[in-house]
Amino acid sequence: MDKATLTRVLDDIHRAAMLAEDRGKVADYIPELARIDPGKFAMSICLPDGSQYSVGDAQVEFSIQSVSKLFTLAIALGRYGDRFWDRVGREPSTFVFNSVQELEARQGIPPNPFVNAGAIVTTDSLLVGAQPKETLAEILQFVRLAASDESIFMDPSVAQSEKRTGHRNWSLAYFLRACSNLHHDCELTLGTYFHQCAIAMTCEQLARCGRFLAGFHPTGGLISPAHVRSINALMMTCGHYDGSGEFAYRVGIPSKSGVGGGILAVLPGKASIAVWSPGLDAHGNSLLGTVALEHLSNALGLSVFSLGSDR
Ligand code: GLN
């Protein structure tokens, strides 16, 4: 990747983002997130040679929310291997990310680990033989190792906020329990899930976190190559919920979004990219984050479906 071109494209993306009028709508069903300034924007890219390029508010912390589902899945696959898939599917979802209808239609087997129901089951699986505190410590340790940064933390005020107002997640948990696909009390599993979603990170930290999925983490071997491949495939097909097809069409990079406005995108062997803009589109994905990744992908021919000369 040509560094001068990369720097210029990042500057172009930043300028366009600052001028954008339609910035989407900040998630307001979690009161702590409703207070975030929609004017914020950041992008950061890690390359295999250890270099990192950033623009905008790349050192401002934000709530990673559903991007955390990558890390819990990585841990769960390591612990259970293919047995994990007895409880969760590997297909894209049709409805919104917290749909009860979708779960009911599938008799309590969530379509994939990236919609809320699937992530709640994933967290439930990590609680087997452990207290919530231990599971949260395990998740935090994984994330800190991935980012090579011991300072990453969980924001308890965001977790508490969602605990009070995340009524849909309570519905999903009770429905899963009714279908025998939740093995702990709803309170226990959701308490853990809300805390994992409340991990705070800067865009620079998040980009570093993605290196293990891009195949160039400095200490290597966080998870097996087979699990990297599985997770990246699911990011491409399910990482943006019911907007995943559109995202693959426009951007073409395996990615995972969160309602905090963050997106982590990974190109195996080439780059780990994080973007943050808090305003969301109708599917709950960062509106300007998607525009920024589309711009980057087009400018540098990064879509995995691209011949590199499609401009
Ligand atoms: N904590 C959020 C929720 O469960 C995460 C959702 C998301 O980021 N899409 O609703």
Side-chain angles (χ1 to χ4, degrees):
M1 203 174 291
D2 175 56
K3 308 277 171 77
T5 312
L6 177 58
T7 310
R8 179 180 51 73
V9 172
L10 277 177
D11 286 339
D12 289 347
I13 289 172
H14 185 212
R15 208 169 309 115
M18 294 328 287
L19 295 173
E21 282 175 14
D22 184 4
R23 308 190 74 83
K25 200 170 160 294
V26 172
D28 55 8
Y29 72 99
I30 304 173
E32 283 292 310
L33 297 186
R35 303 191 289 117
I36 308 296
D37 172 10
K40 294 275 185 235
F41 178 85
M43 195 169 209
S44 187
I45 305 187
C46 289
L47 300 182
D49 64 5
S51 59
Q52 185 162 12
Y53 299 82
S54 308
V55 285
D57 304 300
Q59 292 180 2
V60 177
E61 275 141 8
F62 63 93
S63 193
I64 69 163
Q65 293 296 318
S66 283
V67 183
S68 66
K69 295 170 183 174
L70 290 174
F71 311 121
T72 47
L73 176 61
I75 300 169
L77 284 178
R79 186 178 300 182
Y80 297 105
D82 277 348
R83 272 187 302 137
F84 174 78
W85 302 114
D86 294 345
R87 296 178 65 185
V88 183
R90 298 190 294 253
E91 292 297 340
S93 49
T94 315
F95 298 104
V96 67
F97 64 85
N98 51 14
S99 170
V100 180
Q101 186 181 356
E102 179 118 39
L103 187 61
E104 182 158 24
R106 294 173 189 258
Q107 278 114 34
I109 303 293
N112 63 69
F114 293 155
V115 293
N116 284 15
I120 291 167
V121 169
T122 308
T123 303
D124 189 64
S125 79
L126 297 183
L127 281 165
V128 173
Q131 294 300 317
K133 268 203 168 100
E134 293 167 330
T135 300
L136 288 171
E138 183 182 12
I139 297 168
L140 204 52
Q141 189 190 17
F142 186 94
V143 168
R144 286 173 171 173
L145 196 62
S148 314
D149 191 333
E150 289 296 312
S151 72
I152 293 169
F153 64 99
M154 292 172 180
D155 184 339
S157 61
V158 173
Q160 285 307 324
S161 179
E162 186 170 7
K163 191 171 182 197
R164 280 193 301 274
T165 58
H167 308 304
R168 274 189 170 263
N169 286 327
W170 289 102
S171 313
L172 291 170
Y174 278 106
F175 192 81
L176 287 164
R177 194 93 165 116
C179 297
S180 305
N181 201 8
L182 201 79
H183 300 166
H184 301 88
D185 279 349
C186 296
E187 175 89 24
L188 202 83
T189 301
L190 280 188
T192 312
Y193 169 79
F194 292 144
H195 278 83
Q196 121 200 1
C197 289
I199 293 173
M201 261 192 243
T202 69
C203 212
E204 290 196 336
Q205 288 170 326
L206 188 59
R208 288 199 284 273
C209 255
R211 295 171 302 178
F212 79 100
L213 292 172
F216 54 84
H217 189 273
T219 58
L222 255 63
I223 65 172
S224 72
H227 289 161
V228 167
R229 179 182 152 186
S230 307
I231 294 171
N232 288 347
L234 289 162
M235 287 169 85
M236 183 63 96
T237 51
C238 315
H240 280 70
Y241 316 116
D242 50 333
S244 298
E246 180 71 7
F247 190 88
Y249 181 87
R250 285 172 58 191
V251 179
I253 304 175
S255 308
K256 180 75 202 84
S257 72
V259 288
I263 302 175
L264 179 59
V266 293
L267 272 165
K270 287 196 189 138
S272 171
I273 309 160
V275 62
W276 173 49
S277 174
L280 308 178
D281 65 16
H283 299 290
N285 301 314
S286 174
L287 191 140
L288 288 185
T290 304
V291 170
L293 284 167
E294 184 177 19
H295 186 148
L296 188 80
S297 180
N298 284 337
L300 302 176
L302 296 182
S303 165
V304 301
F305 305 109
S306 165
L307 300 176
S309 55
D310 53 5
R311 293 227 62 206

